[in-house]
Amino acid sequence: MAKSEGAGAHGSSPSAPMSEAHLEELVRDLLPRLVTSLREMTHDEQTAENIAARTCMVVINEVRKGTVFHRPVIAYATTVARRMAIDHWRSAAARREEPVAEIPEGSRPATARDPGPDDPGARLEFEELLRIVHKAIGDQRQARIWELHHIWLWKGTEIAETLGISASTVSRELKRANERARTAPVPLPRREAD
């Protein structure tokens, strides 16, 4: 995993080691944001919580190994969470394809109306939402800022630091992206601005 992703999300210098108290504060900030984003992606609360918790463990392990983050930690955590969600969907497809000698008593096969928590349609729906919104926005950087803010719940300062632009540019680009995203023919997530 890239050692240069993520950074002191709470303003610590990139070269300073993170204390356990700061690490706990970081996890308290990251965990609910990741759960909210992953719930929207997966349509399953338990899956979202599991992936978010595993992501936080990866972040904790990286910090304890001495990894120095040069960008907000949310950048690293988002990358890890996105990859874990994709791995979850891939493994869910493999689990469904395992042959069963006999159906256990009291169970019933899944139908199109009852997709269950490992629904591959959740991933397709999420990817289609992003594709439609990115197309409606039209500008790649504005679309990325929109996704990081509305889907991954990044703060404006985290986006600015990660993309190497000013916070005012992020605010201006996000405003334009929001205006353009409203033309997308899909229901958009409603998030509070920071």
Side-chain angles (χ1 to χ4, degrees):
M1 294 192 192
K3 303 286 183 187
S4 63
E5 296 241 1
H10 297 88
S12 67
S13 94
S15 60
M18 198 177 291
S19 69
E20 287 297 314
H22 188 99
L23 189 56
E24 287 178 27
E25 179 185 341
L26 177 67
V27 170
R28 277 194 302 271
D29 176 55
L30 287 176
L31 189 61
R33 292 166 70 187
L34 291 171
V35 168
T36 300
S37 299
L38 289 162
R39 185 183 319 115
E40 192 152 321
M41 283 179 70
T42 63
H43 298 274
D44 181 47
E45 182 75 27
Q46 188 64 48
T47 299
E49 288 175 3
N50 289 342
I51 294 172
R54 289 184 9 236
T55 299
C56 286
M57 287 306 303
V58 169
V59 170
I60 289 168
N61 289 336
E62 286 298 313
V63 169
R64 288 184 176 156
K65 283 191 323 192
T67 299
V68 176
F69 295 97
H70 299 286
R71 296 182 183 162
V73 175
I74 189 72
Y76 179 73
T78 298
T79 301
V80 171
R82 184 184 298 127
R83 289 178 182 162
M84 284 186 180
I86 290 168
D87 288 346
H88 169 76
W89 283 317
R90 286 181 182 150
S91 67
R95 286 191 306 268
R96 278 191 304 280
E97 293 175 6
E98 291 177 6
V100 177
E102 60 183 65
I103 298 175
E105 187 175 325
S107 67
R108 59 187 174 89
T111 66
R113 292 182 180 180
D114 182 22
D118 293 328
D119 179 15
R123 176 182 180 188
L124 296 175
E125 181 181 318
F126 177 75
E127 290 173 347
E128 182 68 7
L129 166 76
L130 287 182
R131 188 188 66 71
I132 290 169
V133 171
H134 280 237
K135 184 177 179 181
I137 293 172
D139 180 272
Q140 186 176 10
R141 183 168 79 176
Q142 288 177 5
R144 182 72 176 139
I145 290 169
W146 184 93
E147 178 183 347
L148 292 174
H149 181 75
H150 290 288
I151 303 297
W152 293 102
L153 307 178
W154 287 27
K155 297 173 180 128
T157 54
E158 294 166 337
I159 297 169
E161 188 176 338
T162 300
L163 298 182
I165 56 179
S166 70
S168 61
T169 300
V170 169
S171 179
R172 192 172 43 254
E173 297 282 301
L174 182 58
K175 183 178 178 183
R176 288 181 187 140
N178 284 336
E179 290 167 0
R180 292 177 177 168
R182 285 187 194 103
T183 67
V186 294
L188 301 176
R190 294 181 181 252
R191 304 276 198 235
E192 296 297 321
D194 47 292

